[in-house]
Structure formats: C-alpha cells, structure tokens
Amino acid sequence: MAKSRKYIFTFATVAAVVAIILYINFNQKETAQPINGEKLFKSCSPCHKLNNDFTGPRLKGALERWGGDKKAMYAFIRNPAKSVSENAYSKKVYEKYKVIMTAFNLTDAELDAMMYYWEKAK
C-alpha cells in the first residue's frame, strides 16, 4: 500500500506542475495583443501624411529614402535633435522642413508595426 501512495503522490505532483505550466501559457496567450501600427500612427499624423509631404515628409517610402538604414531611421525618431547633428540624411530633412520633430520613445516592434501600416495603407 505504501508503494501505491508513492505513485499517487508522484502522479499528483506531476499533474499539478503540468496544470500550472498550462495555466501560465494559456494566460500569456490571452493577454498578448498585436501591436496596432495604425493606432500608433495617429501620434504622427498631425505632422506627417502617408502619401504627401506636410509639416514633415510623407511616410510611405521613408525607409527607402533612409537608404534602407532602419537603425538610423529609428534613432532619428527617438532623438531627432541628436540625429540631425550626427546623420547627413537627418540634416537634409531638417534643412528642408526647418522643424525638429518631437522625439518618440517607441520600441523597435512598435516602429516596425507602424512602418508596416504606413507602407501597406493606401
């Protein structure tokens, strides 16, 4: 009888651990939300349009105009004043529009989602 108690205890312990793991995984999947690039773009839209220059340059095709240098473009978005002093393309944009953009503290994933939105939008 002691052996069967040991097996029952072992089975119950393993079942509890599996249940905890499944519970954690299930809750993580439910709370994960995709990043909404269109919603994030709303903070840019007072100065930027998708297809037309405005207070700042149009956003469609921005990465191409940055020569494909996403790292430099994202650095500009996060700290435009510093980028203007260090990056030739940033300086060129500043000289054209005569405005230093507001800095935005966005993650790479948020910027990727926003760029995906503006490139796919019509």
Side-chain angles (χ1 to χ4, degrees):
M1 193 177 248
K3 233 181 190 181
S4 64
R5 283 187 183 173
K6 182 179 178 184
Y7 290 123
I8 291 171
F9 177 76
T10 302
F11 177 77
T13 303
V14 170
V17 169
V18 169
I20 290 168
I21 291 169
L22 290 174
Y23 175 79
I24 290 169
N25 284 338
F26 177 75
N27 282 332
Q28 286 178 342
K29 288 177 185 172
E30 278 199 348
T31 58
Q33 297 291 322
I35 298 171
N36 186 331
E38 181 178 8
K39 186 176 179 182
L40 287 170
F41 171 73
K42 290 187 187 311
S43 63
C44 305
S45 65
C47 298
H48 293 278
K49 303 303 173 203
L50 296 174
N51 296 304
N52 303 316
D53 289 346
F54 194 57
T55 304
R58 74 186 183 286
L59 292 180
K60 193 168 285 233
L63 184 58
E64 186 178 321
R65 291 191 304 277
W66 277 87
D69 190 349
K70 187 164 53 168
K71 184 177 177 182
M73 187 173 88
Y74 287 6
F76 173 78
I77 293 168
R78 292 180 180 127
N79 191 342
K82 181 179 179 187
S83 184
V84 166
S85 70
E86 296 176 353
N87 180 282
Y89 182 72
S90 296
K91 187 174 182 175
K92 181 179 169 183
V93 170
Y94 170 73
E95 288 172 356
K96 180 175 180 179
Y97 294 95
K98 303 294 184 202
V99 174
I100 291 286
M101 184 176 89
T102 301
F104 289 92
N105 187 21
L106 298 167
T107 66
D108 283 356
E110 289 169 326
L111 291 168
D112 287 343
M114 195 166 28
M115 186 167 46
Y116 179 82
Y117 163 72
W118 77 53
E119 290 300 333
K120 299 302 178 197
K122 297 190 188 242

